[in-house]
Amino acid sequence: MNTYQHPSQRPDTETVIAIGSFDGVHLGHQSLLNTLIAQAKMHQVPSVVFTFDPPTRVLIQGVDFLSTLPEKLKLLEQLGVDEVIAMPFTREFAGRPKEDFLKDLSILRPKTIVVGQDFGFGKGRAGGLPDLRTITSELIALPMLSLDSEPVKSTRIRGFLNQGQVEEAHQLLGREYEAIGVVVHGDKRGRLIGFPTANVAVPEGKLLPRGVYFVDFVVDGQTHHGIANVGKRPTVEGEDVRLEVHLLNFQGDLYGQEAMVKFKRFIRTEQKFDGLDALKGQLDRDRQLALSWIH
């Protein structure tokens, strides 16, 4: 899958394009992208996703993102998208008039444009569906997908994750929520009480559900079960939020390796214990619960 930062960087061909932030690449996005890919195959031209880095709400509203750009690109490639234009999204870009955005899109010579019905663009979201129809012979505007009588959207997924409801988020994403990062050195306190952890450094701004979770830990093509703690480690007076994973039935050196953490089930909220012995007792109970879930 080829990736560009501006339409002018790709070969001069006709395309079918889908436009949006696609943060999380959830079931609603997937439905729209399946339409994109089907249209591109019908017209025998490349399928192109025109997206923004960071997602628009991350810049404008300051929310955390569900997908880093590498995570988003991986998901789009898995769906079968041919090309991605990841336009750097800045306040200057957000303030451009709609005509400038239409010029960018016109470079792609779109035979079909696929968007959500509520899509708007340009300064003050002045641009809309009628404007898009001026640069393409076919515009497909899809209604928002609903699940349990409510729309599937990134804001709803963020709400679930912020409440620790990872299984509910899973339903809207069509997969477990994931975080990718590099295993780095931590305080090494866990190994002192028999619970060594892999400290996974994720990019700043990535939404992490706070609390303790049963997870899958994928590294070097292998999947291991584990218990993740996301928080400040109040028992040891921690100050920064960390993602630390205790792997079940695994021993080895993981430092410097990229790992993916898949959040499967909520165990409990993070809490402060009266010393390391009390913490160890709770971790023993967490481990027994997690082991009971392994099939």
Side-chain angles (χ1 to χ4, degrees):
M1 184 179 73
N2 293 320
T3 305
Y4 310 96
Q5 287 191 318
H6 193 274
S8 61
Q9 295 173 337
R10 66 170 305 279
D12 183 17
T13 68
E14 292 183 313
T15 64
V16 171
I17 63 176
I19 316 166
S21 286
F22 301 108
D23 191 19
V25 194
H26 54 58
L27 288 179
H29 296 145
Q30 292 171 39
S31 176
L32 189 151
L33 293 166
N34 287 335
T35 300
L36 164 78
I37 292 166
Q39 287 290 315
K41 288 180 178 177
M42 183 180 73
H43 290 296
Q44 297 184 319
V45 298
S47 58
V48 179
V49 167
F50 192 111
T51 192
F52 310 99
D53 180 42
T56 54
R57 287 183 185 271
V58 172
L59 181 78
I60 303 301
Q61 299 179 6
V63 301
D64 288 339
F65 48 78
L66 300 177
S67 303
T68 64
L69 183 59
E71 289 169 350
K72 186 193 297 187
L73 294 176
K74 176 180 68 73
L75 292 165
L76 293 174
E77 185 169 30
Q78 289 173 350
L79 287 171
V81 171
D82 294 321
E83 302 176 17
V84 175
I85 295 167
M87 183 74 81
F89 191 71
T90 61
R91 293 199 176 275
E92 181 183 14
F93 183 89
R96 297 195 314 163
K98 65 180 183 180
E99 291 80 9
D100 287 358
F101 188 66
L102 287 171
K103 287 177 183 176
D104 288 340
L105 295 179
S106 297
I107 296 171
L108 297 169
R109 295 164 54 194
K111 295 182 74 70
T112 305
I113 296 177
V114 186
V115 292
Q117 280 184 343
D118 61 344
F119 181 71
F121 60 92
K123 184 177 181 180
R125 288 174 58 89
L129 304 184
D131 299 290
L132 294 178
R133 289 192 177 94
T134 66
I135 62 166
T136 184
S137 57
E138 182 179 33
L139 177 68
I140 300 176
L142 298 174
M144 192 173 289
L145 185 72
S146 289
L147 190 66
D148 297 330
S149 302
E150 291 191 47
V152 177
K153 54 184 182 179
S154 300
T155 302
R156 188 177 168 201
I157 295 169
R158 284 191 192 90
F160 283 138
L161 293 174
N162 284 325
Q163 295 297 316
Q165 296 174 284
V166 295
E167 292 175 84
E168 287 82 353
H170 178 174
Q171 295 300 311
L172 302 189
L173 289 165
R175 65 181 187 282
E176 285 136 355
Y177 185 63
E178 306 164 348
I180 297 175
V182 175
V183 179
V184 299
H185 290 276
D187 300 327
K188 299 183 173 59
R189 288 194 178 96
R191 67 178 59 183
L192 297 177
I193 57 174
F195 283 86
T197 59
N199 186 11
V200 183
V202 302
E204 185 177 353
K206 167 76 174 180
L207 195 159
L208 293 174
R210 299 285 287 270
V212 180
Y213 299 87
F214 176 51
V215 300
D216 278 346
F217 185 93
V218 185
V219 62
D220 197 24
Q222 300 294 314
T223 299
H224 311 277
H225 300 300
I227 301 168
N229 183 86
V230 181
K232 293 187 176 183
R233 299 150 292 120
T235 303
V236 295
E237 306 296 335
E239 295 182 354
D240 57 325
V241 174
R242 293 188 186 177
L243 167 56
E244 297 180 322
V245 183
H246 169 66
L247 299 181
L248 305 171
N249 305 320
F250 173 85
Q251 289 185 341
D253 184 358
L254 297 169
Y255 292 121
Q257 296 193 60
E258 184 177 79
M260 175 190 291
V261 180
K262 298 183 176 183
F263 293 86
K264 299 177 73 69
R265 296 180 71 169
F266 176 79
I267 295 178
R268 60 179 173 84
T269 59
E270 188 181 44
Q271 58 197 101
K272 184 173 183 176
F273 295 93
D274 294 327
L276 293 180
D277 286 343
L279 172 61
K280 183 179 185 301
Q282 181 60 59
L283 293 176
D284 279 325
R285 291 188 289 275
D286 295 341
R287 179 157 55 187
Q288 290 308 309
L289 179 59
L291 287 170
S292 74
W293 288 336
I294 297 175
H295 301 295

